[in-house]
Amino acid sequence: MTTAIYAGSFDPFTYGHLDIVKMGSEVFDKIIIGITYNVSKKGFIPINDRVKLIKEVVKNIPNVEVCSYNKLTVDFALEYNANVIIRGLRNIADFEYEKELAHVNNKLNNGIKTVFFMTKPEHSFISSSAVREVYTYKGNLKEFVPENIEKYLLEKRV
């Protein structure tokens, strides 16, 4: 059985992230979405709320679990006996960052491999930071995030 970790801050979880989860769920036996505390970012949505929201989004994908963690991703992967880390790519700029991260993870544990999935073109421009900006300036979130996350954000805006 191949277990893969899909790690990120997912702050917020977008249609691009969901696209990657769906692709990964067709390739791997089990996917653990690991929501991590990003030390270089101030949290937008509290991490416990992100866990609940993402669990709701993926509830109909039977081989996907969601949890949070606060350690190195390779250590988190070992905790779940995962030997694959999934990373999503939208564009060439993502690739440079993700390649560096994959090399670091490989240096930390060369038994865990990184696999890249490209989002569909219609999701290639969506980033969590873009969603946060659209939210801040009261733009329409419908095209960027799943319905439950849009609803959560709109309720928090009031």
Side-chain angles (χ1 to χ4, degrees):
M1 180 161 141
T2 304
T3 300
I5 298 295
Y6 181 32
S9 55
F10 306 113
D11 195 16
F13 192 78
T14 68
Y15 281 127
H17 295 130
L18 181 57
D19 192 29
I20 299 298
V21 169
K22 286 178 178 177
M23 283 187 260
S25 73
E26 294 173 4
V27 174
F28 301 106
D29 297 312
K30 184 177 188 179
I31 294 180
I32 310 294
I33 299 174
I35 305 166
T36 184
Y37 296 83
N38 189 326
V39 295
S40 64
K41 295 180 183 175
K42 181 184 178 290
F44 181 63
I45 297 174
I47 199 159
N48 291 337
D49 289 353
R50 279 182 264 162
V51 169
K52 285 186 236 170
L53 289 164
I54 296 168
K55 279 183 178 180
E56 186 178 333
V57 172
V58 301
K59 69 183 176 195
N60 293 323
I61 309 173
N63 59 335
V64 175
E65 295 178 22
V66 182
C67 59
S68 63
Y69 71 100
N70 192 14
K71 57 179 76 173
L72 290 171
T73 299
V74 292
D75 293 339
F76 177 68
L78 289 174
E79 187 179 316
Y80 283 88
N81 297 314
N83 56 358
V84 175
I85 296 172
I86 295 172
R87 300 301 296 176
L89 299 173
R90 293 171 296 143
N91 52 46
I92 195 70
D94 279 356
F95 177 74
E96 289 300 321
Y97 170 77
E98 296 295 346
K99 178 180 73 166
E100 182 180 307
L101 193 56
H103 289 314
V104 169
N105 286 332
N106 186 57
K107 206 50 129 163
L108 292 169
N109 185 325
N110 66 3
I112 300 173
K113 304 304 178 200
T114 299
V115 174
F116 299 103
F117 285 101
M118 294 290 301
T119 59
K120 290 184 181 116
E122 61 265 27
H123 303 305
S124 65
F125 65 93
I126 302 172
S127 68
S128 293
S129 57
V131 171
R132 290 191 299 269
E133 188 166 341
V134 170
Y135 170 82
T136 299
Y137 293 106
K138 298 181 175 26
N140 186 344
L141 298 169
K142 191 174 291 305
E143 300 297 318
F144 305 105
V145 296
E147 188 177 332
N148 70 315
I149 295 172
E150 177 191 23
K151 182 180 178 199
Y152 171 91
L153 291 171
L154 292 176
E155 288 172 358
K156 293 295 179 188
R157 184 184 283 161
V158 179

